[in-house]
Amino acid sequence: MRAIDRLSVLFSAVALMALMGCAHYNENQPIDSIDLNSGYRYSVVRNQPAEDKPFVLLAFSGGGTRAAALAFGLMEELRTVEYSAKDGAKHRLLDDLEIISSVSGGSFTASYYALFPDRFFSDFPDRFLYRNIQGELVAKLFNPYNWFRLLSPEFSRIDMADEFYHETVFEGRTFADLLRQPRGSAPFLVLNATDISITHRFEFTQDQFDLLCSDLSKVSVSRAVAASSNFPVAFAPMTMNIYNKKPCGPLPGWLDPALSDARNPDRRYFDARSAASYRDPNRSYAHLLDGGLSDNLGLRGPYQAVTTTDSAWSILTQANLSQLGRLIVIAANAKTTKHNEWDRTSSPPGISAVLGVTMGGPMDDVSLDSVQMTGDHFRQMKQLSRTVDSCNKVLARNCPSAKPVDNPIVTDFTFAELSFDRIQDDRLRHCMQELPTSFSLPRKTVDLLRMVGRQLLMTSGPFIKGMQSLDPNWKPHEVVIDQHLINAVCM
């Protein structure tokens, strides 16, 4: 071998080793001590709720670009919803948005709005919805430069996706950028992933990162979104460091009674045990996959916040303090329903079909449970309030001098789930239910999803009833979807 060839081989080997040595996931940084008055927490980001103002919470499901576009359509329609307050002044319901809890594809929409509320409606479609994100990720995978980096055991496809989102979608923003926004100017963002070691929901809030003795403010928003949309098989788990060798502060006060009291519900005990596990000296890392594995609607966190005071951003606490007069929860559910003909033949479904059922079936069941639990809780609260009012009427009629019973329920509840199952037009419903879960959809399909999101809001019975309870004169307007658009997408 000539000297120049040997030199070339040596240089290539050195370059390869350097690339492998440099390829490493972006580590989340430690904190020395917990400060409950700083960091990305609800109490830091938002002002104290007002009793005379609606408290709006949105939940965005997983489902790739399909979910992102449906959520965007919901946001577009919310921007047009106005109501008259008691003083006669007009208010936009979107301005009352307090929290967005999201999973997977919905996390792209939620994060972009939280970061860039002023240019969200003008920029997000071209920045994400109309792009072939999936194709661009595949192109990066086939870039020889990334082949070498992916040989590193501490750099995987999900870290490469994080870099791509960081540079091209979220403009390098971190949670520190969210904290720098004026207080109350953007909703509190809750991005949900799944910690596969304990099969439990993992949210990107400072309260969660307190358990890891870590600083969320230095974590990029793209990394949280990548974890939230980290679909198994397609990507490897995302790694987060746990710094528990030197405790940064005590665990939340609710954990001890939740772990020690035998009368606790199983769910509370399991949640407490999962939270406490981050201080286990045998745990040094948390490995995260798609949030849909534990909650494909983004509703589990809100449900806990509405029903318990254990949540770091407990909505029940605000209600108990009589600071929550009206709660409106809207869930954009982009769940699909595949229509197949497996049962018409003796041949069993193929591997891809079985894998789809294996991955999607449990997530659909969890989503159904989340919707059912949330709806049931709101109905029970309304029933309790009506029962107290009825008792007081009987008491006033039969014993006028008796003091009426205080009604413990001072909050008016509205829960609206927007899903393709609620589309009235059979053809359009089946068309939406058959859409793939991918990060690339044709432009017209995205446009149709946006219109469907708008129409679902304006035809939602629970939403209409909630708005008319807020403003008796409010009326929904008709959202008409162009038949030419339906024909173009639903051939």
Side-chain angles (χ1 to χ4, degrees), residues 24 47 61 82 130 153 180 240 281 295-296 323 353 429 433 443 452 460 473 475 479 490:
H24 192 281
N47 295 311
S61 79
E82 291 187 339
Y130 294 138
R180 278 191 282 269
M240 289 287 159
D295 172 22
N296 200 38
Q323 293 169 331
R429 181 174 65 256
Q433 290 174 335
R443 176 178 285 263
V452 165
S460 167
N473 296 318
K475 290 182 175 60
V479 176
C490 303

Side-chain angles (χ1 to χ4, degrees), residues 53-370:
K53 178 182 175 184
F55 188 110
V56 179
L57 187 153
L58 302 180
F60 295 161
S61 79
T65 299
R66 181 186 73 241
L70 182 70
F72 185 77
L74 163 61
M75 297 288 284
E76 286 183 297
E77 193 60 32
L78 271 182
R79 183 173 55 162
T80 71
V81 176
E82 291 187 339
Y83 65 91
S84 296
K86 292 180 179 179
D87 61 1
K90 285 285 188 180
H91 295 275
R92 285 197 321 170
L93 192 64
L94 187 60
D95 294 332
D96 299 323
L97 178 55
E98 289 283 336
I99 297 171
I100 306 180
S101 173
S102 64
V103 179
S104 198
S107 290
F108 288 88
T109 308
S111 299
Y112 205 88
Y113 182 74
L115 281 168
F116 312 111
D118 295 336
R119 51 189 175 96
F120 168 74
F121 294 103
S122 60
D123 289 8
F124 186 66
D126 289 328
R127 181 59 64 93
F128 182 81
L129 295 178
Y130 294 138
R131 290 177 64 173
N132 184 357
I133 297 292
Q134 193 162 297
E136 293 182 61
L137 282 173
V138 171
K140 288 182 71 67
L141 183 62
F142 281 94
N143 185 333
Y145 168 72
N146 287 320
W147 295 351
F148 298 132
R149 303 171 74 209
L150 290 170
L151 290 173
S152 169
E154 295 193 340
F155 187 87
S156 68
R157 294 187 300 277
I158 192 60
D159 299 303
M160 188 181 69
D162 165 31
E163 287 185 349
F164 173 70
Y165 303 150
H166 187 68
E167 296 166 1
T168 63
V169 179
F170 298 110
E171 303 178 10
R173 298 299 201 274
T174 67
F175 281 87
D177 291 298
L178 287 172
L179 280 168
R180 278 191 282 269
Q181 294 173 325
R183 183 168 179 162
S185 63
F188 182 58
L189 177 67
V190 182
L191 301 175
N192 297 279
T194 301
D195 185 334
I196 59 174
S197 297
I198 54 177
T199 60
H200 196 270
R201 186 176 62 88
F202 181 101
E203 64 181 38
F204 281 80
T205 63
Q206 185 55 52
D207 299 288
Q208 174 83 58
F209 272 63
D210 285 347
L211 301 174
L212 282 64
C213 289
S214 181
D215 182 4
L216 177 62
S217 68
K218 297 178 182 178
V219 175
S220 66
V221 173
S222 65
R223 192 153 185 80
V225 173
S228 180
S229 58
N230 188 7
F231 196 76
V233 182
F235 298 103
M238 175 177 285
T239 302
M240 289 287 159
N241 291 11
I242 302 174
Y243 301 98
N244 57 20
K245 300 301 183 285
K246 180 184 176 183
C248 56
L251 289 167
W254 69 273
L255 288 184
D256 277 344
L259 289 169
S260 60
D261 191 343
R263 294 171 297 177
N264 278 300
D266 290 343
R267 166 53 62 182
R268 189 177 193 229
Y269 173 77
F270 176 67
D271 289 342
R273 191 178 65 181
S274 298
S277 73
Y278 292 104
R279 298 296 177 85
D280 184 337
N282 292 319
R283 291 199 72 184
S284 298
Y285 304 96
H287 300 290
L288 310 179
L289 279 176
D290 194 297
L293 297 176
S294 55
D295 172 22
N296 200 38
L297 265 185
L299 264 181
R300 291 282 176 159
Y303 177 76
Q304 184 187 38
V306 169
T307 58
T308 77
T309 57
D310 296 342
S311 170
W313 41 282
S314 173
I315 298 171
L316 180 60
T317 300
Q318 310 298 332
N320 289 341
L321 295 174
S322 299
Q323 293 169 331
L324 195 68
R326 190 175 303 277
L327 173 62
I328 300 175
V329 177
I330 306 171
N333 184 1
K335 178 183 76 69
T336 57
T337 304
K338 300 301 181 185
H339 303 277
N340 58 71
E341 299 183 354
W342 299 339
D343 297 338
R344 297 186 180 184
T345 175
S346 62
S347 300
I351 293 176
S352 62
V354 172
L355 182 61
V357 172
T358 303
M359 297 303 301
M363 294 200 303
D364 290 345
D365 281 345
V366 171
S367 297
L368 182 62
D369 288 343
S370 297

